[in-house]
Amino acid sequence: MTTYFADVIVPLPLPKLFTYRIPLGMEHEARPLMRVVVPFGRKKLYAGLIAKVHSTPPAAYQAKYIEQVLDETPIINEVNFKLWKWISEYYMCPMGSVMNVALPSGFKISSETKITRHPELDEIKSSINDKEYLILEALESQTHLSLDEISDVLQQKTILPTVNAMINKKLLITGEDMKLRFKPKMVPYVRLTKAYRSEQKLNEILNALSVAPKQMEALMHYLKISGWHTQNKVEVRKQILNEVLQKSKSAIKALVDKQVFEIYEREEGRLNPFVIDTELKLKLTEQQNTAIGKIIDFWSEHKPVLLHGVTSSGKTEVYIELIKACIKEGKQALFLVPEIALTTQLVNRLKAHFGEQMGVYHSRFNDNERVETWNAIIGVNKYSKFKLIVGARSSLFLPFDNLGLIIVDEEQENSFKQFDPEPRYHARDLAIVAASISKANIVMGTATPSYESYDNALKEKYGLVEMKQRFGDREMPKIEISDLKKAHAHKAMHGSFSPELYQEIKQALERKEQIILFRNRRGFAPRAQCTTCGWTTDCKNCDISLTFHKFRKEMVCHYCGFHVPFPKSCGQCGSATVNLQGQGTEKIEEEISELFPHARVARMDLETTRQKHSYQKLISDFEDRQIDILVGTQMLSKGLDFDNVSLVGIISADSILHYPDFRAYERAYSLMEQVAGRAGRKNKKGRVIIQSFDSDNPILKKVQQHDYTGVFQEQLKHREQFYYPPYSRLIQITLKHKDPQFLRIAAQHFGKYLKPTFKENMLGPEAPTIARIRNWYIEHLLLKIPANQTNKSIKRLIREAIDHFKSQKEFNGVRIILDVDPQ
Ligand SMILES: [Zn+2]
Ligand SMILES: [Zn+2]
């Protein structure tokens, strides 16, 4: 009789897979891509994933037994697994780390996991078995149990199958969810009943209501707020309608009694699914139709497509049309967005078209929701199969079985890159690989393509489709540069605002138009400095100055969270001459409120959007024109579309331009163009004012002319000269240690191993601008490698260098971090 073995991926950063023995009788259950419980290390159990089943015993060690099989069917498919392997090779990271990032943590129980009662479990149902009862009973007296404790409760060793089954039955949740545990708050909403959703019925009731003016008013307001006659319909909270109606609230009830309105409840803060079930038809412009035709042509040549469309050119409608075609063919579509939390508007629009066929997936969702989505993709249990997933980068790991289309929106966005933990993958690049493995079509859209993508398009590796006109009658915003040097010399500044920006704000307010002010620093002031001796308040753990947050009355480190009260006197010379310098969003907000006391001002940055629904509230308040001026950081630049914004002010272009990175100008142009794109209303030109001390900077001139290709061509010359991407690919090796002198020696030693091969294509080792974070000192090595090779031999060499380095005992404490294609 043959003895079978399984190579298992254990969810730990181990260089190799481990081989386990499949117990007799388990051969038919233990199949590839299913989870199994395996022992690892001393007394620890993990849920690992079978990569391969074979009959060769491991040569170097005695194989331990698989304890249990957790799944009845594979939880990922062959396409997923190919992608995992590609990631592991390309990003030089262990399969265990890929597994850790790819699977929702509900799939990753181990003996360290803490288990809690499911928050929605009210009473213990009779259908549970004895073991389940014992565990739930134990959780009456304790809030959570470790697996070891559960093992004691059940007086048996093998408990993971029981726990796993209980998680599936929604009796338990894993500990990672504890911070997200909350009873969802239900909020009442108003909508038209099905009977009144046709134009004809609506007109009838409007006529009939002419005798009941208050009810008429209520209905009219509902139609307006819901955007009933537009393509951007939204759900209407009862409270909002109440507020508008003020004294005639009872009209809503009257309409409910007449069965024109119905009240329904929805969980507060979940991305509001749109429920009105009208067949939405798109009216596409000629430009959009042409773009769709071209995209499909390129797809027939099996090319990825770069959709380069100016801001507000109507890319979303193009995507919607392509998704509809994909679903019609019976396939699934994936819509990747950089940060799902910042795309409420987009998600609502897509929901209007795809309703229940669409699912949303991202890491801010709690585990239950993520596992549910996972199951809904495969189509198990009660879940209907999703046809469209809108998600952040982690949705690339979902087990689609019939993926036909991937859309990457805002492909240039940095947040597609995963920084920590490894694998440090770039979702756009991964999407291209995923599309190729699953033979799906792919389109990447943006107003400002990344230079890598644009270069690929010019070299015809990608199809290039352009949309140069703004949607409807909108014109490109008019951009002016405001010279801060001059304004300061003439003492003409109003706080942080140049006379030009001040005047424009004033006039826009008078015209009852809305304003966006952009500043890429949060907090009140980026630093405090003694004007007598030059001392600054720096973080004690990082090499960076502390930012003053007025609201918290503290100086805070944005890297490690260290905070101290604002110093009353200088820490060096003792003088009481410590002054705040520079301005962050908090200060801009304060100044603008003082300058325009009647304006309603709000701020959107990390501080004001920390709470679960605060971002959505800010957006909807701004949409409802409850806010006149919105001050904010990068968050403002992401895919927002407001109808009434006529002015955008960029408070400091200098802090965007002067950044020590070869991508600084690429990013600066992109950011300013995106922020500027928020300006402009139907039939009216928007205005943008960019403030700068360096007003002759050529990049600013190009932004003014919306000259993307001009900046691209110029920057590409530099890239070629200094051999940077897209001419090369980069690998960054980071070494960290708590002793700076020792780290220096270690980094030099490491560099020596690689220098003979890379020569001038190795930069460093050198300390970055912020050379210490959380008390870890940092040294960087940057390797430039040819762009168009698979580079396997180079990666092997780097691996050798790391092994060689680690084999020397003295360097044991040095952390090494690999980043392929650092951003
Ligand atoms: Zn001083
Ligand atoms: Zn710090």
Side-chain angles (χ1 to χ4, degrees):
M1 194 181 279
T2 326
T3 305
Y4 287 100
F5 295 89
D7 295 342
V8 175
I9 307 168
V10 185
L12 296 169
L14 308 165
K16 282 184 192 159
L17 303 191
F18 271 74
T19 305
Y20 289 88
R21 191 165 166 177
I22 302 176
L24 280 177
M26 208 193 269
E27 304 88 348
H28 298 293
E29 294 162 46
R31 284 178 287 131
L33 311 187
M34 302 205 306
R35 288 174 309 147
V36 285
V37 178
V38 290
F40 189 84
R42 291 192 49 195
K43 281 171 64 182
K44 288 236 170 79
L45 291 176
Y46 287 94
L49 190 89
I50 299 182
K52 195 177 157 194
V53 174
H54 54 85
S55 53
T56 323
Y61 53 92
Q62 180 82 35
K64 291 178 185 170
Y65 279 98
I66 287 177
E67 299 221 346
Q68 199 79 36
V69 182
L70 288 175
D71 301 307
E72 284 167 19
T73 51
I75 54 161
I76 63 166
N77 59 40
E78 284 297 333
V79 172
N80 295 135
F81 194 60
K82 276 187 192 160
L83 197 61
W84 286 24
K85 281 201 279 200
W86 187 87
I87 295 169
S88 170
E89 275 164 32
Y90 186 85
Y91 291 105
M92 305 179 71
C93 108
M95 282 297 265
S97 303
V98 180
M99 174 175 169
N100 256 335
V101 164
L103 293 182
S105 48
F107 283 145
K108 293 182 304 198
I109 43 179
S110 74
S111 46
E112 288 148 357
T113 310
K114 294 261 186 266
I115 303 290
T116 357
R117 243 176 108 98
H118 196 288
E120 285 162 31
L121 178 69
D122 291 326
E123 51 184 298
I124 298 173
K125 295 181 195 90
S126 53
S127 61
I128 63 168
N129 64 36
D130 291 352
K131 287 179 189 173
E132 293 171 343
Y133 182 82
L134 283 173
I135 294 173
L136 289 174
E137 196 190 43
L139 283 169
E140 300 269 301
S141 50
Q142 271 172 285
T143 52
H144 57 256
L145 293 171
S146 72
L147 291 188
D148 285 343
E149 287 165 328
I150 291 179
S151 183
D152 289 343
V153 170
L154 297 186
Q155 298 186 351
Q156 68 181 56
K157 207 175 140 215
T158 312
I159 51 144
L160 279 187
T162 307
V163 170
N164 190 51
M166 290 177 76
I167 290 171
N168 287 343
K169 285 162 125 177
K170 293 195 168 187
L171 299 171
L172 302 177
I173 57 170
T174 55
E176 277 97 341
D177 277 352
M178 281 170 57
K179 57 178 183 291
L180 293 159
R181 256 178 339 136
F182 66 100
K183 266 266 180 214
K185 190 183 160 207
M186 301 306 284
V187 184
Y189 279 73
V190 182
R191 69 182 165 204
L192 288 172
T193 55
K194 255 201 173 117
Y196 285 94
R197 287 180 202 166
S198 71
E199 272 317 296
Q200 194 198 341
K201 288 293 278 182
L202 257 183
N203 286 332
E204 279 173 29
I205 188 72
L206 282 169
N207 286 332
L209 285 180
S210 56
V211 291
K214 283 186 177 170
Q215 292 174 37
M216 169 81 110
E217 195 195 344
L219 183 55
M220 294 302 285
H221 275 296
Y222 169 80
L223 294 176
K224 187 160 163 263
I225 298 170
S226 67
W228 186 261
H229 295 292
T230 71
Q231 288 194 359
N232 290 327
K233 295 197 182 73
V234 290
E235 290 182 292
V236 177
R237 266 204 252 167
K238 192 174 167 212
Q239 190 201 339
I240 289 180
L241 200 54
N242 270 337
E243 280 167 15
V244 179
L245 295 172
Q246 290 177 0
K247 281 176 192 147
S248 32
K249 282 179 199 169
S250 56
I252 299 177
K253 191 176 174 300
L255 286 167
V256 170
D257 291 343
K258 284 188 178 148
Q259 295 184 359
V260 176
F261 278 168
E262 60 187 3
I263 308 292
Y264 62 105
E265 288 199 323
R266 194 167 276 305
E267 187 182 318
E268 169 88 76
R270 280 252 192 137
L271 297 158
N272 293 342
F274 188 80
V275 283
I276 297 172
D277 49 357
T278 46
E279 258 288 290
L280 270 179
K281 286 259 171 4
L282 287 174
K283 284 194 206 91
L284 295 176
T285 62
E286 200 186 316
Q287 176 177 252
Q288 286 167 330
N289 275 321
T290 313
I292 291 168
K294 282 186 186 163
I295 290 172
I296 293 172
D297 284 348
F298 280 123
W299 282 347
S300 66
E301 300 168 32
H302 306 290
K303 276 187 182 173
V305 175
L306 179 67
L307 176 60
H308 182 197
V310 297
T311 52
S312 300
S313 55
K315 293 187 283 291
T316 309
E317 287 79 9
V318 172
Y319 299 147
I320 290 171
E321 201 62 22
L322 295 171
I323 296 168
K324 284 189 170 170
C326 167
I327 294 177
K328 218 175 208 168
E329 279 181 46
K331 293 183 175 173
Q332 294 163 306
L334 170 61
F335 194 126
L336 280 179
V337 290
E339 279 175 78
I340 191 92
L342 304 184
T343 44
T344 334
Q345 284 187 328
L346 175 71
V347 168
N348 282 341
R349 280 180 77 183
L350 292 171
K351 265 285 177 192
H353 287 271
F354 302 104
E356 303 300 314
Q357 293 180 310
M358 166 180 150
V360 177
Y361 189 81
H362 68 96
S363 56
R364 275 205 201 180
F365 276 10
N366 69 39
D367 233 30
N368 305 311
E369 291 170 312
R370 296 178 81 193
V371 172
E372 274 173 28
T373 308
W374 194 281
N375 288 334
I377 293 274
I378 314 177
V380 297
N381 302 341
K382 63 188 163 78
Y383 306 108
S384 64
K385 227 171 187 174
F386 283 139
K387 299 292 195 309
L388 166 66
I389 289 287
V390 182
R393 55 175 186 262
S394 56
S395 40
L396 276 166
F397 297 110
L398 286 166
F400 298 100
D401 58 3
N402 194 9
L403 191 61
L405 167 64
I406 304 179
I407 291 163
V408 186
D409 194 27
E410 304 294 346
E411 64 87 28
Q412 85 290 352
E413 272 286 336
N414 234 353
S415 35
F416 278 126
K417 171 86 176 177
Q418 160 119 350
F419 287 96
D420 267 315
E422 63 174 0
R424 296 176 179 82
Y425 65 94
H426 197 298
R428 175 202 57 223
D429 299 342
L430 207 54
I432 301 237
V433 177
S436 136
I437 294 175
S438 41
K439 299 195 169 45
N441 294 320
I442 177 165
V443 56
M444 296 162 278
T446 171
T448 53
S450 69
Y451 288 0
E452 282 87 345
S453 296
Y454 200 66
D455 185 59
N456 277 326
L458 294 184
K459 287 183 179 142
E460 296 183 12
K461 278 171 78 181
Y462 298 169
L464 179 63
V465 177
E466 291 177 307
M467 288 165 71
K468 293 181 174 170
Q469 313 291 320
R470 288 191 127 190
F471 191 75
D473 297 321
R474 291 191 191 190
E475 289 176 63
M476 290 301 280
K478 184 173 188 314
I479 298 179
E480 287 156 69
I481 314 293
S482 196
D483 183 353
L484 289 183
K485 236 189 248 167
K486 207 170 99 194
H488 275 277
H490 290 93
K491 302 215 179 318
M493 293 293 286
H494 300 258
S496 304
F497 309 98
S498 68
E500 296 85 8
L501 183 53
Y502 176 82
Q503 279 308 322
E504 287 291 339
I505 294 173
K506 200 170 155 212
Q507 286 165 19
L509 285 173
E510 279 162 9
R511 294 191 302 262
K512 304 232 174 299
E513 292 163 354
Q514 289 169 296
I515 298 150
I516 285 177
L517 296 176
F518 173 81
R519 175 73 176 105
N520 62 336
R521 285 301 291 252
R522 61 196 169 90
F524 190 86
R527 62 191 189 149
Q529 189 167 34
C530 171
T531 49
T532 310
C533 74
W535 174 79
T536 55
T537 47
D538 293 336
C539 178
K540 76 172 171 80
N541 308 317
C542 316
D543 287 346
I544 187 99
S545 59
L546 299 174
T547 299
F548 181 62
H549 286 247
K550 192 168 187 181
F551 173 72
R552 297 172 54 177
K553 299 190 184 67
E554 276 178 330
M555 307 287 303
V556 183
C557 173
H558 286 177
Y559 283 82
C560 73
F562 172 77
H563 51 94
V564 289
F566 180 73
K568 289 198 180 76
S569 58
C570 172
Q572 190 164 278
C573 73
S575 316
T577 50
V578 182
N579 277 348
L580 289 170
Q581 290 181 343
Q583 81 288 78
T585 45
E586 229 183 309
K587 186 170 183 191
I588 300 295
E589 183 193 20
E590 187 181 284
E591 282 186 358
I592 201 83
S593 307
E594 279 165 12
L595 288 169
F596 301 99
H598 298 297
R600 295 163 298 176
V601 182
R603 172 162 58 93
M604 182 191 281
D605 56 25
L606 204 62
E607 265 72 38
T608 61
T609 56
R610 253 184 236 283
Q611 282 179 337
K612 198 170 174 177
H613 320 305
S614 40
Y615 172 80
Q616 277 153 278
K617 175 139 185 9
L618 271 174
I619 296 284
S620 62
D621 285 354
F622 197 56
E623 278 175 338
D624 296 344
R625 307 191 187 178
Q626 308 280 328
I627 298 169
D628 300 313
I629 304 177
L630 189 57
V631 178
T633 56
Q634 269 86 334
M635 281 184 180
L636 284 174
S637 67
K638 294 187 204 285
L640 293 171
D641 206 358
F642 300 110
D643 269 349
N644 191 40
V645 174
S646 66
L647 175 66
V648 167
I650 296 178
I651 303 298
S652 165
D654 309 311
S655 62
I656 304 171
L657 288 166
H658 303 144
Y659 202 78
D661 185 281
F662 72 93
R663 287 193 177 93
Y665 280 2
E666 176 185 351
R667 296 245 163 86
Y669 180 88
S670 171
L671 184 57
M672 285 192 262
E673 183 70 40
Q674 301 273 356
V675 175
R678 304 306 125 219
R681 306 187 307 145
K682 276 174 195 138
N683 313 317
K684 211 168 170 199
K685 215 177 171 96
R687 279 183 107 91
V688 180
I689 294 189
I690 302 178
Q691 303 194 134
S692 174
F693 281 99
D694 184 14
S695 57
D696 293 327
N697 191 305
I699 296 292
L700 294 180
K701 294 273 175 298
K702 302 277 188 202
V703 173
Q704 211 169 3
Q705 295 150 3
H706 301 284
D707 185 7
Y708 168 84
T709 41
V711 186
F712 172 81
Q713 278 157 1
E714 210 171 86
Q715 286 300 303
L716 235 63
K717 282 186 214 142
H718 293 275
R719 302 278 180 97
E720 184 170 25
Q721 192 184 349
F722 296 103
Y723 197 43
Y724 274 115
Y727 295 95
S728 66
R729 276 183 180 276
L730 303 178
I731 298 180
Q732 182 174 272
I733 304 171
T734 304
L735 290 92
K736 289 186 180 179
H737 197 270
K738 295 206 168 175
D739 176 349
Q741 275 80 36
F742 180 72
L743 177 65
R744 195 91 263 271
I745 295 163
Q748 301 278 3
H749 184 88
F750 188 88
K752 265 191 202 135
Y753 195 93
L754 295 172
K755 192 74 183 173
T757 312
F758 287 94
K759 300 188 180 77
E760 75 279 6
N761 288 328
M762 181 179 103
L763 304 184
E766 63 187 358
T769 324
I770 301 168
R772 181 182 53 127
I773 292 175
R774 294 170 193 271
N775 283 322
W776 286 85
Y777 288 85
I778 302 162
E779 292 266 349
H780 281 323
L781 263 163
L782 193 66
L783 305 176
K784 299 176 186 170
I785 61 182
N788 299 320
Q789 292 176 20
T790 50
N791 300 316
K792 276 195 177 145
S793 58
I794 285 177
K795 286 176 181 168
R796 204 174 305 129
L797 181 76
I798 294 170
R799 189 50 71 200
E800 274 169 28
I802 293 172
D803 290 345
H804 168 77
F805 182 77
K806 285 199 166 157
S807 67
Q808 286 154 289
K809 274 218 168 68
E810 66 211 273
F811 295 134
N812 257 344
V814 180
R815 286 193 199 169
I816 298 183
I817 292 152
L818 279 178
D819 191 354
V820 178
D821 302 334
Q823 289 294 304

